[in-house]
Amino acid sequence: MAAQRGSNNSAKAKNFDGPDLDDFDDLEGFGVAVVREDGKWTVTPLPTKALASLSAAETELREMRSSGAVFGLLDVDDEFFVVLRPAPSGTRLLLSDASLAGEYDIAADVLDRLNVEVPDFDADELDDIEPWPEGDMALLADLGLPEAVMGIIVAETDLYPDEQLGSIAQRLGFPDELSAVLDKLPR
């Protein structure tokens, strides 16, 4: 598990907007942008920096000019996932495991944006704490993934985050597009 809290604070102290490249060198996982336009799904990889910084992920998604729906799926360090959907009124967010916000900057950023207090657990306690989601379970409902089904997917904590995101892709109808992108990513 790659703890990200301390290093990002030093980047802010240097008046640098965003994470330092060294902040996520050991961060694993993937990020993808998903676009639904003219009845067709398109999935493209996001840069690694999107796994460490909510603002970086949002920027990448906002730069995707589309008349259709745009959202991001992030598997952060194979520990949790984030679904984000930028909109003019603000980004809608879902964090699959809020208990890890003390360990990962992006999880803490999601909770901050949701006005939810970041939990303060000792590292030794984390194994005994049940994960819990925070955010908007209905953020993909208009695309065909009802809030109740998203709740079931998030509650499947025996699955890895990439498997949960695969379930989301399956329910919405883009599993092949997601698999094609993931097969090309270095692992």
Side-chain angles (χ1 to χ4, degrees), residues 3 5 9 20 32 40 58-59 79 85 107 110 116 143 161 175:
R5 294 292 306 157
N9 292 338
D20 222 349
V32 295
K40 182 181 176 203
E58 285 177 305
T59 299
E79 293 288 335
R85 189 169 179 188
V110 170
V116 174
L143 299 174

Side-chain angles (χ1 to χ4, degrees), residues 10-185:
S10 64
K12 290 177 186 169
K14 294 184 238 177
N15 284 330
F16 177 67
D17 186 24
D20 222 349
L21 287 177
D22 295 335
D23 288 349
F24 49 82
D25 278 347
D26 60 345
L27 201 58
E28 295 182 12
F30 65 86
V32 295
V34 182
V35 178
R36 172 92 174 156
E37 195 166 45
D38 298 326
K40 182 181 176 203
W41 291 103
T42 305
V43 179
T44 55
L46 291 173
T48 307
K49 65 184 177 183
L51 297 178
S53 166
L54 181 59
S55 63
E58 285 177 305
T59 299
E60 291 292 330
L61 292 171
R62 288 184 192 284
E63 288 177 356
M64 303 192 87
R65 305 288 182 221
S66 173
S67 60
V70 177
F71 61 93
L73 302 174
L74 308 176
D75 168 352
V76 182
D77 222 15
D78 294 324
E79 293 288 335
F80 61 93
F81 70 83
V82 177
V83 180
L84 61 157
R85 189 169 179 188
S89 61
T91 300
R92 296 171 70 186
L93 298 162
L94 174 61
L95 173 64
S96 68
D97 185 358
S99 72
L100 294 172
E103 299 293 313
Y104 292 89
D105 279 347
I106 192 165
D109 291 345
V110 170
L111 292 186
D112 286 345
R113 191 77 62 83
L114 295 170
N115 294 317
V116 174
E117 188 173 327
V118 174
D120 185 22
F121 300 120
D122 290 334
D124 298 334
E125 292 177 306
L126 280 177
D127 290 336
D128 299 327
I129 295 173
E130 285 293 318
W132 74 90
E134 289 288 350
D136 185 355
M137 293 281 193
L139 79 165
L140 301 176
D142 64 317
L143 299 174
L145 186 63
E147 179 177 356
V149 175
M150 180 67 88
I152 291 168
I153 292 170
V154 172
E156 293 180 19
T157 58
D158 56 326
L159 296 178
Y160 286 104
D162 65 328
E163 295 170 316
Q164 291 172 302
L165 294 176
S167 292
I168 291 170
Q170 181 71 40
R171 293 288 186 154
L172 290 175
F174 62 92
D176 296 337
E177 293 84 346
L178 178 62
S179 291
V181 168
L182 296 182
D183 288 347
K184 294 178 185 174
L185 293 178

